[in-house]
Amino acid sequence: MQSGIHIETVVDGLAFAEAPRWHDDMLWFSDFYTRKVTRLRMGGEPETVCEVAGQPSGLGWLPDGRMLVVSMTDRRLLRLDNDGLNTVADLSAVLPHHCNDMVVDHRGRAYIGNFGFDLLNRAAAQSTVLMMVDTDGSVRQVADDLLFPNGCVITPDHATLIVAETFGKRLTAFDIADDGTLSGRRVWAALGDASPDGICLDAEAAVWVASPPTSEFLRVREGGAILDRIVVPDQAIACTLGGPERRTLFMVTGRVSREQRALAERTGRIQAMRVQVPGAGLP
């Protein structure tokens, strides 16, 4: 890591963490291979929120405060109710492979990405779709021809969705209509050698990008200018802005590997650093 930057470890010993979120004054995240959603109050101990047999990924919250979680391998969107996890939507018939990250808008609509191909068995990359689960549980395709749609953010005015195309090495933006449908597709930023995974948005409309293959977190302006770069020893997986005034950048790192190895090595961790520009928008 660069000298002169103060970075502290928040939690380590994770198998493979994803989808960090700041919600209700706590840091929340999924761990694929322990199959747990965890929350952590700063200065406290990690607390298991729920266990997801199909591997948890993207997290979000409905307007009434209930949590939504993506179940990856069985391709379902789940909701945590008082009686436990319940299925909101089954996407297995419309998605070709594992579900992935997600952003939930201010009305409770969930935009969910997916692998599109068998990544861990090194299948050839194929384009895929972005799905929206509406508030009534109905499912709609809102975009296609995306190369591994991954982390997503929504701008504070609720007008724009930005999605990380991991194998496209770009951030792609869409206009959001009142009914949640997307249009006006455009390349928000081409990222060169970087492959975006998890992303978050700040109040200057810049996007922090985690890039696993280049082991760095990048702060990117629309058009592709890189404003900041944080190099890390392991792969950069995801990030979110939270903490007091949303001025803490939480950075998830680890190594993409198969379940058995990830559980044995436990290289996943979440680190934090103070930034000048606070977070904005969703998630």
Side-chain angles (χ1 to χ4, degrees), residues 1-2 193-195 209-218 229-237 253-254:
M1 299 177 186
Q2 291 90 328
D193 293 334
S195 296
V209 175
S211 172
T214 57
S215 297
E216 60 189 349
F217 293 89
L218 306 172
R229 187 189 306 266
I230 308 297
V231 178
V232 291
D234 285 320
Q235 292 178 309
I237 306 300
T253 63

Side-chain angles (χ1 to χ4, degrees), residues 37-276:
V37 176
T38 299
R39 64 185 179 190
L40 176 65
R41 197 178 299 278
M42 294 300 92
E45 293 295 320
E47 175 189 356
T48 299
V49 177
C50 61
E51 297 189 13
V52 179
Q55 296 183 5
S57 185
L59 304 174
W61 284 266
L62 295 169
D64 65 11
R66 288 179 296 174
M67 185 181 73
L68 299 179
V69 55
V70 169
S71 182
M72 294 180 62
T73 59
D74 55 4
R75 289 168 279 175
R76 291 187 298 155
L77 178 64
L78 308 178
R79 183 185 62 240
L80 183 60
D81 297 319
N82 290 334
D83 62 349
L85 290 169
N86 292 296
T87 299
V88 177
D90 185 342
L91 295 90
S92 60
V94 295
L95 293 181
H97 215 270
H98 296 346
C99 292
N100 198 5
D101 213 339
M102 167 181 71
V103 65
V104 179
D105 75 6
H106 66 298
R107 295 179 180 174
R109 298 177 297 212
Y111 295 87
I112 303 173
N114 70 97
F115 287 19
F117 62 97
D118 192 348
L119 173 67
L120 289 180
N121 285 319
R122 302 182 182 275
Q126 296 183 33
S127 63
T128 188
V129 297
L130 185 71
M131 305 302 295
M132 185 190 77
V133 178
D134 214 330
T135 54
D136 62 358
S138 61
V139 178
R140 277 189 284 170
Q141 178 182 312
V142 288
D144 61 7
D145 198 28
L146 296 166
L147 284 169
F148 208 98
N150 209 327
C152 295
V153 296
I154 296 174
T155 54
D157 61 3
H158 314 300
T160 305
L161 181 142
I162 302 170
V163 56
E165 290 190 68
T166 301
F167 281 77
K169 298 187 176 183
R170 59 182 174 252
L171 302 178
T172 298
F174 297 90
D175 300 322
I176 305 173
D178 286 342
D179 66 355
T181 55
L182 304 180
S183 64
R185 178 178 183 154
R186 57 207 179 267
V187 175
W188 195 87
L191 298 175
D193 293 334
S195 296
D197 192 331
I199 62 176
C200 60
L201 181 70
D202 72 21
E204 292 184 354
V207 173
W208 279 98
V209 175
S211 172
T214 57
S215 297
E216 60 189 349
F217 293 89
L218 306 172
R219 183 170 177 253
V220 181
R221 177 181 289 141
E222 184 174 7
I226 296 175
L227 307 177
D228 292 287
R229 187 189 306 266
I230 308 297
V231 178
V232 291
D234 285 320
Q235 292 178 309
I237 306 300
C239 53
T240 196
L241 286 159
E245 301 178 334
R246 291 186 71 180
R247 292 181 185 272
T248 299
L249 179 67
F250 293 99
M251 299 174 287
V252 177
T253 63
R255 297 173 192 160
V256 177
S257 60
R258 294 183 182 275
E259 180 173 355
Q260 185 175 4
R261 181 175 178 181
L263 286 169
E265 295 182 344
R266 298 287 185 136
T267 60
R269 67 175 59 184
I270 302 177
Q271 295 178 295
M273 62 173 282
R274 176 82 172 175
V275 295
Q276 292 300 312

